PDB file of all heavy atoms in Angstrom:
ATOM      1  N   LEU A 189      -6.774  11.899  -8.703  1.00 97.00           N
ATOM      2  CA  LEU A 189      -8.094  11.700  -8.098  1.00 97.00           C
ATOM      3  C   LEU A 189      -8.928  12.979  -8.150  1.00 97.00           C
ATOM      4  O   LEU A 189     -10.144  12.918  -8.376  1.00 97.00           O
ATOM      5  CB  LEU A 189      -7.929  11.231  -6.646  1.00 97.00           C
ATOM      6  CG  LEU A 189      -7.304   9.846  -6.463  1.00 97.00           C
ATOM      7  CD1 LEU A 189      -7.029   9.577  -4.984  1.00 97.00           C
ATOM      8  CD2 LEU A 189      -8.200   8.765  -7.033  1.00 97.00           C
ATOM      9  N   ALA A 199      -9.849  14.194   1.206  1.00 96.00           N
ATOM     10  CA  ALA A 199     -10.820  14.679   2.183  1.00 96.00           C
ATOM     11  C   ALA A 199     -10.466  14.158   3.562  1.00 96.00           C
ATOM     12  O   ALA A 199      -9.878  13.080   3.712  1.00 96.00           O
ATOM     13  CB  ALA A 199     -12.226  14.224   1.796  1.00 96.00           C
ATOM     14  N   LEU A 201     -10.973  12.563   7.228  1.00 94.00           N
ATOM     15  CA  LEU A 201     -11.791  11.539   7.892  1.00 94.00           C
ATOM     16  C   LEU A 201     -12.174  12.121   9.242  1.00 94.00           C
ATOM     17  O   LEU A 201     -11.318  12.377  10.094  1.00 94.00           O
ATOM     18  CB  LEU A 201     -10.998  10.245   8.058  1.00 94.00           C
ATOM     19  CG  LEU A 201     -11.672   9.142   8.878  1.00 94.00           C
ATOM     20  CD1 LEU A 201     -12.962   8.680   8.219  1.00 94.00           C
ATOM     21  CD2 LEU A 201     -10.723   7.955   9.057  1.00 94.00           C
ATOM     22  N   GLN A 205     -16.738   9.508   9.155  1.00 92.00           N
ATOM     23  CA  GLN A 205     -17.164   9.583   7.749  1.00 92.00           C
ATOM     24  C   GLN A 205     -16.142  10.322   6.903  1.00 92.00           C
ATOM     25  O   GLN A 205     -15.361  11.132   7.413  1.00 92.00           O
ATOM     26  CB  GLN A 205     -18.525  10.261   7.631  1.00 92.00           C
ATOM     27  CG  GLN A 205     -18.542  11.738   7.966  1.00 92.00           C
ATOM     28  CD  GLN A 205     -19.914  12.369   7.717  1.00 92.00           C
ATOM     29  OE1 GLN A 205     -20.825  11.707   7.246  1.00 92.00           O
ATOM     30  NE2 GLN A 205     -20.041  13.640   8.054  1.00 92.00           N
ATOM     31  N   CYS A 206     -16.170  10.018   5.603  1.00 91.00           N
ATOM     32  CA  CYS A 206     -15.333  10.721   4.633  1.00 91.00           C
ATOM     33  C   CYS A 206     -16.023  12.044   4.305  1.00 91.00           C
ATOM     34  O   CYS A 206     -17.181  12.056   3.892  1.00 91.00           O
ATOM     35  CB  CYS A 206     -15.176   9.867   3.369  1.00 91.00           C
ATOM     36  SG  CYS A 206     -14.505  10.771   1.946  1.00 91.00           S
ATOM     37  N   LEU A 207     -15.322  13.140   4.491  1.00 93.00           N
ATOM     38  CA  LEU A 207     -15.912  14.443   4.216  1.00 93.00           C
ATOM     39  C   LEU A 207     -15.942  14.765   2.719  1.00 93.00           C
ATOM     40  O   LEU A 207     -16.439  15.815   2.323  1.00 93.00           O
ATOM     41  CB  LEU A 207     -15.167  15.539   4.976  1.00 93.00           C
ATOM     42  CG  LEU A 207     -15.212  15.431   6.503  1.00 93.00           C
ATOM     43  CD1 LEU A 207     -14.590  16.666   7.148  1.00 93.00           C
ATOM     44  CD2 LEU A 207     -16.644  15.238   6.996  1.00 93.00           C
ATOM     45  N   GLY A 208     -15.420  13.822   1.916  1.00 93.00           N
ATOM     46  CA  GLY A 208     -15.509  13.995   0.472  1.00 93.00           C
ATOM     47  C   GLY A 208     -16.849  13.545  -0.064  1.00 93.00           C
ATOM     48  O   GLY A 208     -17.501  14.258  -0.830  1.00 93.00           O
ATOM     49  N   CYS A 209     -17.285  12.359   0.354  1.00 92.00           N
ATOM     50  CA  CYS A 209     -18.565  11.836  -0.130  1.00 92.00           C
ATOM     51  C   CYS A 209     -19.647  11.843   0.944  1.00 92.00           C
ATOM     52  O   CYS A 209     -20.803  11.535   0.669  1.00 92.00           O
ATOM     53  CB  CYS A 209     -18.393  10.420  -0.680  1.00 92.00           C
ATOM     54  SG  CYS A 209     -17.811   9.210   0.538  1.00 92.00           S
ATOM     55  N   ARG A 210     -19.233  12.149   2.200  1.00 92.00           N
ATOM     56  CA  ARG A 210     -20.161  12.232   3.335  1.00 92.00           C
ATOM     57  C   ARG A 210     -20.812  10.887   3.665  1.00 92.00           C
ATOM     58  O   ARG A 210     -21.909  10.853   4.232  1.00 92.00           O
ATOM     59  CB  ARG A 210     -21.255  13.273   3.064  1.00 92.00           C
ATOM     60  CG  ARG A 210     -20.726  14.686   2.873  1.00 92.00           C
ATOM     61  CD  ARG A 210     -20.240  15.270   4.173  1.00 92.00           C
ATOM     62  NE  ARG A 210     -19.644  16.588   3.996  1.00 92.00           N
ATOM     63  CZ  ARG A 210     -19.210  17.351   5.000  1.00 92.00           C
ATOM     64  NH1 ARG A 210     -19.294  16.900   6.238  1.00 92.00           N
ATOM     65  NH2 ARG A 210     -18.655  18.514   4.764  1.00 92.00           N
ATOM     66  N   MET A 211     -20.125   9.822   3.319  1.00 90.00           N
ATOM     67  CA  MET A 211     -20.652   8.490   3.640  1.00 90.00           C
ATOM     68  C   MET A 211     -20.057   8.009   4.960  1.00 90.00           C
ATOM     69  O   MET A 211     -18.838   7.972   5.121  1.00 90.00           O
ATOM     70  CB  MET A 211     -20.314   7.505   2.529  1.00 90.00           C
ATOM     71  CG  MET A 211     -21.038   7.772   1.225  1.00 90.00           C
ATOM     72  SD  MET A 211     -22.823   7.538   1.383  1.00 90.00           S
ATOM     73  CE  MET A 211     -22.906   5.765   1.616  1.00 90.00           C
ATOM     74  N   PRO A 212     -20.917   7.617   5.922  1.00 90.00           N
ATOM     75  CA  PRO A 212     -20.400   7.096   7.191  1.00 90.00           C
ATOM     76  C   PRO A 212     -19.764   5.719   6.992  1.00 90.00           C
ATOM     77  O   PRO A 212     -20.156   4.965   6.107  1.00 90.00           O
ATOM     78  CB  PRO A 212     -21.646   7.012   8.071  1.00 90.00           C
ATOM     79  CG  PRO A 212     -22.775   6.883   7.109  1.00 90.00           C
ATOM     80  CD  PRO A 212     -22.385   7.649   5.893  1.00 90.00           C
ATOM     81  N   MET A 213     -18.780   5.421   7.818  1.00 88.00           N
ATOM     82  CA  MET A 213     -18.094   4.128   7.722  1.00 88.00           C
ATOM     83  C   MET A 213     -18.531   3.220   8.859  1.00 88.00           C
ATOM     84  O   MET A 213     -18.824   3.696   9.972  1.00 88.00           O
ATOM     85  CB  MET A 213     -16.580   4.332   7.762  1.00 88.00           C
ATOM     86  CG  MET A 213     -16.048   5.130   6.586  1.00 88.00           C
ATOM     87  SD  MET A 213     -14.262   5.302   6.667  1.00 88.00           S
ATOM     88  CE  MET A 213     -13.981   6.211   5.139  1.00 88.00           C
ATOM     89  N   ILE A 221      -8.741   1.074   9.507  1.00 90.00           N
ATOM     90  CA  ILE A 221      -8.022   2.293   9.134  1.00 90.00           C
ATOM     91  C   ILE A 221      -7.146   2.771  10.281  1.00 90.00           C
ATOM     92  O   ILE A 221      -5.988   3.164  10.085  1.00 90.00           O
ATOM     93  CB  ILE A 221      -9.026   3.390   8.710  1.00 90.00           C
ATOM     94  CG1 ILE A 221      -9.696   3.027   7.374  1.00 90.00           C
ATOM     95  CG2 ILE A 221      -8.345   4.754   8.590  1.00 90.00           C
ATOM     96  CD1 ILE A 221     -10.824   3.947   6.978  1.00 90.00           C
ATOM     97  N   ILE A 229      -1.170   5.682   3.008  1.00 96.00           N
ATOM     98  CA  ILE A 229      -2.200   6.454   2.297  1.00 96.00           C
ATOM     99  C   ILE A 229      -3.473   5.622   2.248  1.00 96.00           C
ATOM    100  O   ILE A 229      -3.498   4.537   1.669  1.00 96.00           O
ATOM    101  CB  ILE A 229      -1.748   6.813   0.874  1.00 96.00           C
ATOM    102  CG1 ILE A 229      -0.497   7.704   0.926  1.00 96.00           C
ATOM    103  CG2 ILE A 229      -2.877   7.533   0.115  1.00 96.00           C
ATOM    104  CD1 ILE A 229       0.094   8.011  -0.434  1.00 96.00           C
ATOM    105  N   VAL A 230      -4.507   6.126   2.884  1.00 95.00           N
ATOM    106  CA  VAL A 230      -5.783   5.405   2.957  1.00 95.00           C
ATOM    107  C   VAL A 230      -6.761   6.022   1.956  1.00 95.00           C
ATOM    108  O   VAL A 230      -6.827   7.250   1.811  1.00 95.00           O
ATOM    109  CB  VAL A 230      -6.354   5.474   4.384  1.00 95.00           C
ATOM    110  CG1 VAL A 230      -7.707   4.776   4.451  1.00 95.00           C
ATOM    111  CG2 VAL A 230      -5.378   4.849   5.369  1.00 95.00           C
ATOM    112  N   ARG A 231      -7.521   5.163   1.287  1.00 94.00           N
ATOM    113  CA  ARG A 231      -8.527   5.622   0.314  1.00 94.00           C
ATOM    114  C   ARG A 231      -9.921   5.290   0.828  1.00 94.00           C
ATOM    115  O   ARG A 231     -10.137   4.251   1.471  1.00 94.00           O
ATOM    116  CB  ARG A 231      -8.310   4.940  -1.047  1.00 94.00           C
ATOM    117  CG  ARG A 231      -6.910   5.122  -1.638  1.00 94.00           C
ATOM    118  CD  ARG A 231      -6.835   6.330  -2.519  1.00 94.00           C
ATOM    119  NE  ARG A 231      -7.708   6.208  -3.681  1.00 94.00           N
ATOM    120  CZ  ARG A 231      -7.375   5.565  -4.802  1.00 94.00           C
ATOM    121  NH1 ARG A 231      -6.184   4.994  -4.917  1.00 94.00           N
ATOM    122  NH2 ARG A 231      -8.218   5.505  -5.814  1.00 94.00           N
ATOM    123  N   CYS A 232     -10.871   6.173   0.551  1.00 92.00           N
ATOM    124  CA  CYS A 232     -12.267   5.921   0.914  1.00 92.00           C
ATOM    125  C   CYS A 232     -12.813   4.768   0.073  1.00 92.00           C
ATOM    126  O   CYS A 232     -12.674   4.769  -1.159  1.00 92.00           O
ATOM    127  CB  CYS A 232     -13.099   7.175   0.690  1.00 92.00           C
ATOM    128  SG  CYS A 232     -14.878   6.951   0.949  1.00 92.00           S
ATOM    129  N   GLU A 233     -13.438   3.808   0.722  1.00 89.00           N
ATOM    130  CA  GLU A 233     -13.986   2.653   0.003  1.00 89.00           C
ATOM    131  C   GLU A 233     -15.162   3.056  -0.888  1.00 89.00           C
ATOM    132  O   GLU A 233     -15.438   2.410  -1.892  1.00 89.00           O
ATOM    133  CB  GLU A 233     -14.456   1.591   1.007  1.00 89.00           C
ATOM    134  CG  GLU A 233     -13.337   0.909   1.779  1.00 89.00           C
ATOM    135  CD  GLU A 233     -12.487   0.012   0.893  1.00 89.00           C
ATOM    136  OE1 GLU A 233     -12.969  -0.389  -0.189  1.00 89.00           O
ATOM    137  OE2 GLU A 233     -11.336  -0.278   1.263  1.00 89.00           O
ATOM    138  N   GLU A 234     -15.846   4.153  -0.542  1.00 89.00           N
ATOM    139  CA  GLU A 234     -17.019   4.580  -1.306  1.00 89.00           C
ATOM    140  C   GLU A 234     -16.657   5.425  -2.527  1.00 89.00           C
ATOM    141  O   GLU A 234     -17.130   5.177  -3.629  1.00 89.00           O
ATOM    142  CB  GLU A 234     -17.978   5.379  -0.401  1.00 89.00           C
ATOM    143  CG  GLU A 234     -18.593   4.563   0.719  1.00 89.00           C
ATOM    144  CD  GLU A 234     -19.527   3.474   0.209  1.00 89.00           C
ATOM    145  OE1 GLU A 234     -20.089   3.635  -0.906  1.00 89.00           O
ATOM    146  OE2 GLU A 234     -19.691   2.464   0.912  1.00 89.00           O
ATOM    147  N   CYS A 235     -15.825   6.452  -2.321  1.00 92.00           N
ATOM    148  CA  CYS A 235     -15.550   7.388  -3.422  1.00 92.00           C
ATOM    149  C   CYS A 235     -14.136   7.277  -3.986  1.00 92.00           C
ATOM    150  O   CYS A 235     -13.844   7.842  -5.040  1.00 92.00           O
ATOM    151  CB  CYS A 235     -15.835   8.822  -2.976  1.00 92.00           C
ATOM    152  SG  CYS A 235     -14.705   9.434  -1.712  1.00 92.00           S
ATOM    153  N   GLY A 236     -13.261   6.592  -3.294  1.00 94.00           N
ATOM    154  CA  GLY A 236     -11.913   6.390  -3.794  1.00 94.00           C
ATOM    155  C   GLY A 236     -10.948   7.529  -3.503  1.00 94.00           C
ATOM    156  O   GLY A 236      -9.781   7.466  -3.878  1.00 94.00           O
ATOM    157  N   ARG A 237     -11.412   8.587  -2.842  1.00 96.00           N
ATOM    158  CA  ARG A 237     -10.538   9.709  -2.545  1.00 96.00           C
ATOM    159  C   ARG A 237      -9.568   9.366  -1.415  1.00 96.00           C
ATOM    160  O   ARG A 237      -9.786   8.437  -0.629  1.00 96.00           O
ATOM    161  CB  ARG A 237     -11.378  10.935  -2.170  1.00 96.00           C
ATOM    162  CG  ARG A 237     -12.272  11.450  -3.282  1.00 96.00           C
ATOM    163  CD  ARG A 237     -13.058  12.669  -2.817  1.00 96.00           C
ATOM    164  NE  ARG A 237     -13.832  13.275  -3.889  1.00 96.00           N
ATOM    165  CZ  ARG A 237     -15.122  13.043  -4.108  1.00 96.00           C
ATOM    166  NH1 ARG A 237     -15.787  12.199  -3.329  1.00 96.00           N
ATOM    167  NH2 ARG A 237     -15.747  13.647  -5.106  1.00 96.00           N
ATOM    168  N   ILE A 238      -8.489  10.162  -1.331  1.00 96.00           N
ATOM    169  CA  ILE A 238      -7.542   9.992  -0.242  1.00 96.00           C
ATOM    170  C   ILE A 238      -8.207  10.425   1.056  1.00 96.00           C
ATOM    171  O   ILE A 238      -8.773  11.522   1.137  1.00 96.00           O
ATOM    172  CB  ILE A 238      -6.285  10.826  -0.488  1.00 96.00           C
ATOM    173  CG1 ILE A 238      -5.537  10.349  -1.755  1.00 96.00           C
ATOM    174  CG2 ILE A 238      -5.339  10.771   0.718  1.00 96.00           C
ATOM    175  CD1 ILE A 238      -4.407  11.254  -2.189  1.00 96.00           C
ATOM    176  N   LEU A 239      -8.147   9.565   2.059  1.00 96.00           N
ATOM    177  CA  LEU A 239      -8.686   9.895   3.372  1.00 96.00           C
ATOM    178  C   LEU A 239      -7.540  10.399   4.242  1.00 96.00           C
ATOM    179  O   LEU A 239      -6.544   9.696   4.463  1.00 96.00           O
ATOM    180  CB  LEU A 239      -9.312   8.659   4.026  1.00 96.00           C
ATOM    181  CG  LEU A 239     -10.740   8.307   3.626  1.00 96.00           C
ATOM    182  CD1 LEU A 239     -11.164   7.004   4.313  1.00 96.00           C
ATOM    183  CD2 LEU A 239     -11.691   9.421   4.005  1.00 96.00           C
ATOM    184  N   VAL A 240      -7.672  11.587   4.737  1.00 95.00           N
ATOM    185  CA  VAL A 240      -6.630  12.190   5.558  1.00 95.00           C
ATOM    186  C   VAL A 240      -7.025  12.054   7.019  1.00 95.00           C
ATOM    187  O   VAL A 240      -8.043  12.585   7.447  1.00 95.00           O
ATOM    188  CB  VAL A 240      -6.417  13.664   5.185  1.00 95.00           C
ATOM    189  CG1 VAL A 240      -5.328  14.284   6.086  1.00 95.00           C
ATOM    190  CG2 VAL A 240      -6.000  13.786   3.728  1.00 95.00           C
TER     191      VAL A 240
END
Side-chain angles (χ1 to χ4, degrees):
L189 294 173
L201 173 62
Q205 68 175 357
C206 166
L207 298 187
C209 61
R210 298 288 176 176
M211 292 295 291
M213 297 181 178
I221 291 172
I229 298 175
V230 178
R231 304 269 297 277
C232 174
E233 291 291 339
E234 295 294 334
C235 67
R237 297 180 174 97
I238 296 171
L239 277 177
V240 179

